[in-house]
Each structure stands twice: as structure tokens, then as C-alpha cells.
Amino acid sequence: MDLEKLLADRLAPAFAAVAGGPVDPVVRRSQHADFQSDAALGLARRLGRPPRTIAAEVRDRAELADVCATVEVSGPGFLNLTVADRMLGDLVGALATDPRLGVPAVAGPETVVIDYSAPNVAKEMHVGHLRSTVIGDAAARTLAWLGHRVLRANHLGDWGTPFGMLIEHLVDLGEAEAAQELSMGDLDAFYTAARAKFDDDAAFRERSRLRVVALQGGDPVTVRLWRLLVAQSESYFLTVYDLLDVTLSAADFRGESSYHDQLAPTVEELDRLGLLRRSDGADCVFPPGSVGRDGEPLPLIVRKSDGGYGYPATDLAALRHRAGTLGATRLLYVVGLPQRRHFEMVFATAARAGWLAPPARAEHVGFGSILGSDGRMLCSRAGGAVKLVGLLTEAVERATALARERNPELGEAEAAEVGRAVGIGAIKYADLSGDRRKDYVLEWERMLALDGNTAPYLQYAYSRIRSIFRRAGVAARPGAGVALGEPSERALAFELVAFGAVVEEVAGSLEFHHLAAYLHRLAAAFSAFYERCPVLRAEGPVRESRLVLCEVTARVLRQGLYLLGIRTPDRM
RNA sequence: GCGCCCGUAGCUCAGCGGAUAGAGCAGGGGACUUCUAAUCCCAAGGCCGCAGGUUCGAAUCCUGCCGGGCGCACCA
């Protein structure tokens, strides 16, 4: 039970009695006390009485004796609430014996499909994929930990016209040579070479066109070559995921091709439902509300005038599969914000077709673009893409060098391990600590920063705690009483007790910067505590109590960072 | 033209109806014989893009304007 809710529950009846109806007590953290309630201000006009009088009356009626040390009317009519040390200590004590750290598993688990990462076969992963992968993985970890059934859907770009030219290029190179190139992760070179031939060589272009037809027609030789291409890319992506420390596995690849045979039936059903309209030779759905440049309704083109299918058809088929066959009630799409309109139209169409009916719902978990230093979008297809592995490798190298420098006691193997955890953590945290909807400028310095509000700061706090236990060879006694004397102990305790509410909120909003900010507050509170409150040199109950504070802090940091996909080394 | 998003400290960003607008970085000053100084403490830094409006109260909600970005029919 978090304190805010506890206080609100105690205040609500008092407010209801004074106001003669239900009132939200509006409890929040305060600079002037531990918490404050602002509800009396809003009630003043309605009741025609001074807010301070209302606040005083609520104070007198509320049953807060066991929770609060003091309850004071302040300013124009705030209620300042100071929590009793005893209550706060008991709450922390309860966390110490709770394997879930005050975050209960959800009562009604849902099936959640999370569409994220989605690189393209035979194309390099660039920084644009980083956001989707990192945010999506945090969502997967968080929702899974809460007890939901999470299905990770890596919607691989493994189908479409570019495969004609890619397969022809593979044929030109020879399978062995091509496999070699692709397994080295040099996907850009492969793609660029194919593209160049396609642009310059008419004969190659024609071969490519025929190859697409062969692929879609299921020609066995072509399909085998295509599979080769896909398999090589998949194994390359898995090495990147491994380096990035992401929970995506080989089993999560669900390429666009896997919906290939559902495309026609999907469109046919739209037709049967009377949602289809032919426009300029293309089969379209016109979801209400979307208007184009000319003021006319904007179509979702489910079948092109040449008979081919594009993204809308694939997305609809995938959605139908996820909601229908898989039984998902929450469908997440971790895709850049520029595609917002596309998803609006897809979701609207799916709803009209009855494929997406409550309680099932789809959410576009959009994120901002990555910009270059000139403030313009970076992640276009037209080059300028920064190779993801290059970024990751540099982060790990920097962090490893720093680990060696700062802690010579680390052996070579441990320094490498710390370097990985810290370097990768820094990159993920840089991405998750800001509002995901905002664009951000790609600054290597920022992403690779190892001090300030960064993952290493949180990891360092964790490793210091581990160091205390390691050095003393002791463990916290879970049942030990938590006695809070020092202000920095109280401050730390307040943060610990807030973990559950933060995770719960983030599971809904998927705004991971709230979790990041919380963990930073927690680590900062711990660091301040660490400076002022000796643990091992304390004695008796104070020592016992501080050991519990340390233990719970470590566990919350570890779990919180785990949800963000960030490791916590025992030593740094 | 229409729609969506964004303008907060020198920089990167939180805050999105409540009391004196918060962090980090950079820059200034302190703290290691004491559980890891990848740390902590102190000081400094702001017409919250501009102008109206709603409200007891606005960085936060509404309207307009200015500046920037993205999207707007067969590309994924």
C-alpha cells in the first residue's frame, strides 16, 4: 500500500462528511511537509465557506492518528501531513519481506502483443531501431513482471518488392560469398550494392521484377534463396539483441511474410462487410475523420491498383491475427510518431470491421524522431543512418576503459562485464529517461555519458550497497524493525514505499521516463543517506534498521533497472 | 491549405490546475586517515515563445499569433 493512497483513503470519508458528497482529497508530495491535501481550496466556493475552516474540519474528523505525526492547516487552506516514523518504518519493513516489493501481480492478466524492433532483412539496424527496441523491451519486461501474458512480435521487414533485387544480388555474388558478407554483419554494403545495380542496370531491374513474381508465386528455388537471406539477417539481429541485452529471441520473429496468405482473405472480408470502396483503381477503406491535402477523405489503401498489398493490408491482417487468433486484448505498436495517422486509420478500420472490439484495444506507442545536429530528421532511408552496433560498441569500450581506470581491483573479465552493463545501460537510459514522444537530437556525448542522471549513477548506488554487504559478510535480517531517525533515512524510506505506484502507473502509460526519474530520485536519496548515515559502524537496532534500508533499496534498484532492461553489476 | 506535435536555466530535459518552477551537464566554491569521491554539500543561474481569456489560483486549461518539426492516395 503506498502512502499517497493510504492517506487519501483516510481523508476521503472526512472530506465526504464535510462536503456532503464524495471528494478526491488530492494528496501529493509536498515541500512543506511529507504530503499535502489540496482539496479544501476547491471546495471553498462550492460550500461557500473559507477553505481554512474546511481544512480544519477535515483535519478534526479524519482518522489519521496511526498514520500521521502531525496534520496542520497551512497557507490558504492546505492540509500538511507529516507521516509518523513508526508507520513509515513499518511500511519499509513490509517491503523487506515482500518478494514483489509492494508491486502485486495484476488480478486480471491480459494477453498483450507488443510489436517492436522490426528491422528490415538485409538492412543494417540503425539508431532509429534503437528506440523501438529499447522502449518495446521495457514494456515487455514491465508487463510480464506484472503477470500479463506478453507476446513479443518482431515484425520483421522480410517481404516486398526489394527482395527481388536482393535475391538477384545474392545470386550474382554466389551463396557462399553472400552468406559470408551477411554473417559479418555488413548488411549495408550488401543492400547498397544491390540498390546500385537496380538503379543503373536495366537488365538487373528486369531480373529483379521477375524474381519478385517468382517469390510471391512460391517458386521453390527463389523461396530457398529468400530464406537464406532472412536466416542470415535474423542471426545477425540476434547478435545485436544479445549485445543490447534485449529479451527478443529467435522465437519472436514474426515477419511480414507470415501474414502473406492472410492478405487476400482480410481484404475480402472488408469487402464483405461493405467497407471497401474502389478509388482510382485501388481498393480503399475511408475511415471517418482522416482528411487529406485536398480536403477529401483520406483512404487506407488495402489493395493497390496493381493488385499488390502494402503496409495497411499487412497491419490489418496482423492485427486480426493478434486480437482474433491469439486472443490479445492489448495490442501495442512501438513505432515512430510519424506513423501516427497510419495507425489511427488502421485501428479505426479494424474497429469498424469488428476485429478490435472492447475490451481489446490497440495503442500506438509512438516515439519522437532522432534528429541530426541540424535539427532535421535523421533516420531516413537516404543514408545518414548511424549503424547501431557502432554506437553500442563504442559505449561498451568507453565504459570498460572507465571501469578499469576507476577500479583497478577489477579483473579483466569483470571489467569487461561491467563495461558492457554500464555502456549498454547508459544508452538505454538515455533513451528511456526522456519523454518518448519528444524528438531527440542524436548526441553521442549525451548517449554515452557516464555521469549525471544516467544509468551508471543508479548502478553505482546499487554496487555500493552490495559492497557494504560483501565487506561485512552480513545480510539484512528481513524481520528487523526499521527505525527512522535521520532526515535522510526518512527521505529514502518515502522513495522506497512509492515504487509500487510508479510501476503501476508506468504499466498503463508506458512513459518509462517516470520510472527512470523515480529510480534516479531513489538513488539520489540513497547516496545522500550513504554520506550521512554509517551502516556498518552503527550499532544495535540502528545498524539493523539501516541494513534493511540498504537491502530494500538494492532490490528496488535492481528490479526497477531490470524493468528498463538495465543490468546491475555487484561491483563497479 | 488542413491535421498532429514541440517551444521551460548557456546546454540536455523533468514538471502539465495549487504555496518560493525542479534535475543533470557546463561554469564557481567546498568535502576523501572513516561502508567504492562513477559520490556528496553549498552558491549561482528563469518575462516557463508572445498576447489575450477561464479560475480563488495557470508553465500547466481555452483562443489567437510567432517560430520549428512531422504527416496529408497506391513507398515501406
Side-chain angles (χ1 to χ4, degrees):
Chain A
M1 181 69 150
D2 74 285
L3 267 168
E4 241 162 272
K5 207 181 293 171
L6 179 60
L7 291 167
D9 285 353
R10 298 296 185 88
L11 285 168
F15 269 112
V18 172
V23 177
D24 177 359
V26 198
V27 174
R28 55 187 188 87
R29 293 298 298 273
S30 174
Q31 307 171 39
H32 306 276
D34 294 330
F35 291 89
Q36 66 184 54
S37 163
D38 301 344
L41 278 319
L43 241 39
R45 173 175 290 265
R46 222 177 84 196
L47 301 182
R49 296 162 57 196
R52 285 188 63 97
T53 312
I54 297 170
E57 223 171 293
V58 169
R59 177 199 55 199
D60 295 341
R61 283 170 177 268
E63 289 182 26
L64 288 165
D66 55 329
V67 185
C68 290
T70 63
V71 181
E72 289 168 343
V73 178
S74 169
F78 299 105
L79 267 181
N80 285 355
L81 310 164
T82 304
V83 175
D85 288 348
R86 174 70 181 280
M87 169 59 71
L88 187 54
D90 287 351
L91 288 172
V92 174
L95 293 182
T97 55
D98 178 2
R100 293 197 54 95
L101 292 163
V103 190
V106 291
E110 289 190 276
T111 296
V112 185
V113 172
I114 309 179
D115 188 317
Y116 70 107
S117 194
N120 293 313
V121 164
K123 277 176 91 174
E124 194 63 54
M125 286 185 78
H126 55 82
V127 289
H129 294 107
L130 180 65
R131 304 213 72 186
S132 174
T133 307
V134 168
I135 295 165
D137 207 50
R141 289 164 181 258
T142 302
L143 295 173
W145 188 55
L146 286 174
H148 295 292
R149 174 173 174 245
V150 172
L151 304 175
R152 294 163 175 79
N154 195 346
H155 198 73
L156 208 62
D158 65 353
W159 200 249
T161 47
F163 283 88
M165 82 184 185
L166 291 168
I167 292 170
E168 282 305 319
H169 181 53
L170 183 144
V171 168
D172 289 357
L173 277 180
E175 290 179 35
E177 177 67 30
Q180 167 79 2
E181 191 170 315
L182 291 168
S183 65
M184 282 167 56
D186 202 356
L187 302 193
D188 269 350
F190 187 91
Y191 188 92
T192 310
R195 183 87 226 173
K197 277 196 277 184
F198 187 86
D199 289 340
D200 302 340
D201 183 344
F204 183 83
R205 208 151 43 232
E206 179 58 13
R207 275 162 57 199
S208 300
R209 197 185 60 76
L210 293 172
R211 189 61 83 171
V212 175
V213 176
L215 179 61
Q216 300 196 326
D219 169 57
V221 174
T222 301
V223 167
R224 190 181 61 77
L225 293 171
W226 169 76
R227 287 223 174 92
L228 190 67
L229 218 46
V230 173
Q232 287 295 335
S233 291
E234 285 185 349
S235 75
Y236 170 70
F237 296 143
L238 288 172
T239 66
V240 178
Y241 294 148
D242 184 54
L243 179 57
L244 231 198
D245 197 13
V246 145
T247 61
L248 283 168
S249 73
D252 302 317
F253 287 119
R254 295 210 173 81
E256 294 167 356
S257 63
S258 54
Y259 305 102
H260 179 53
D261 58 3
Q262 293 173 46
L263 264 27
T266 299
V267 172
E268 278 160 23
E269 188 167 336
L270 287 171
D271 196 15
R272 257 201 311 282
L273 293 165
L275 295 173
L276 231 49
R277 215 168 84 204
R278 191 155 269 254
S279 176
D280 289 349
D283 289 323
C284 305
V285 177
F286 289 86
S290 294
V291 175
R293 198 189 302 280
D294 48 11
E296 296 298 307
L298 199 61
L300 185 68
I301 299 175
V302 293
R303 183 161 44 204
K304 299 186 285 183
S305 53
D306 67 1
Y309 301 97
Y311 249 21
T314 311
D315 279 338
L316 284 169
L319 188 153
R320 199 167 64 136
H321 179 250
R322 291 168 186 178
T325 312
L326 300 176
T329 48
R330 194 178 183 191
L331 314 190
L332 303 178
Y333 293 80
V334 189
V335 180
L337 236 20
Q339 300 207 39
R340 184 187 162 116
R341 177 111 100 199
H342 166 73
F343 283 110
E344 268 174 17
M345 295 200 294
V346 168
F347 298 161
T349 300
R352 287 217 286 166
W355 302 331
L356 191 62
R361 73 277 186 204
E363 299 165 49
H364 176 204
V365 185
F367 51 83
S369 305
I370 301 190
L371 309 177
S373 44
D374 58 355
R376 302 195 72 85
M377 267 180 78
L378 189 71
C379 53
S380 64
R381 273 171 294 168
V386 176
K387 203 169 160 175
L388 184 55
V389 275
L391 182 73
L392 302 182
T393 306
E394 174 155 356
V396 171
E397 280 168 5
R398 285 196 194 203
T400 306
L402 188 74
R404 283 204 198 93
E405 178 198 318
R406 293 295 166 91
N407 193 348
E409 288 175 23
L410 295 177
E412 204 44 40
E414 195 172 5
E417 202 183 309
V418 169
R420 257 191 74 166
V422 169
I424 297 299
I427 286 192
K428 287 183 169 179
Y429 193 85
D431 203 302
L432 293 169
S433 56
D435 186 332
R436 65 163 206 272
R437 274 173 289 254
K438 292 200 174 176
D439 292 350
Y440 78 57
V441 177
L442 177 73
E443 284 176 305
W444 287 52
E445 286 306 318
R446 186 176 101 85
M447 295 183 90
L448 304 178
L450 300 172
D451 47 49
N453 179 12
T454 62
Y457 177 82
L458 315 192
Q459 291 167 318
Y460 181 63
Y462 177 81
S463 74
R464 280 171 130 184
I465 301 173
R466 301 301 308 165
S467 175
I468 290 174
F469 289 113
R470 189 169 51 239
R471 181 171 276 267
V474 295
R477 198 163 54 79
V482 177
L484 304 166
E486 299 292 320
S488 61
E489 290 179 297
R490 298 187 85 242
L492 178 58
F494 279 118
E495 298 303 342
L496 292 172
V497 163
F499 184 51
V502 172
V503 173
E504 195 179 318
E505 183 272 318
V506 167
S509 70
L510 303 175
E511 292 186 3
F512 290 97
H513 69 292
H514 291 155
L515 179 54
Y518 164 77
L519 292 171
H520 180 254
R521 278 199 306 277
L522 175 62
F526 174 77
S527 295
F529 160 82
Y530 183 89
E531 295 285 329
R532 292 178 190 78
C533 300
V535 177
L536 297 178
R537 277 179 292 112
E539 290 175 353
V542 174
R543 179 181 151 120
E544 292 252 290
S545 166
R546 289 180 179 170
L547 282 170
V548 172
L549 282 170
C550 286
E551 172 70 14
V552 177
T553 303
R555 287 176 55 215
V556 172
L557 281 173
R558 184 179 175 79
Q559 184 63 34
L561 284 170
Y562 170 82
L563 298 179
L564 297 180
I566 296 170
R567 287 188 190 239
T568 41
D570 282 349
R571 296 209 289 179
M572 281 175 70

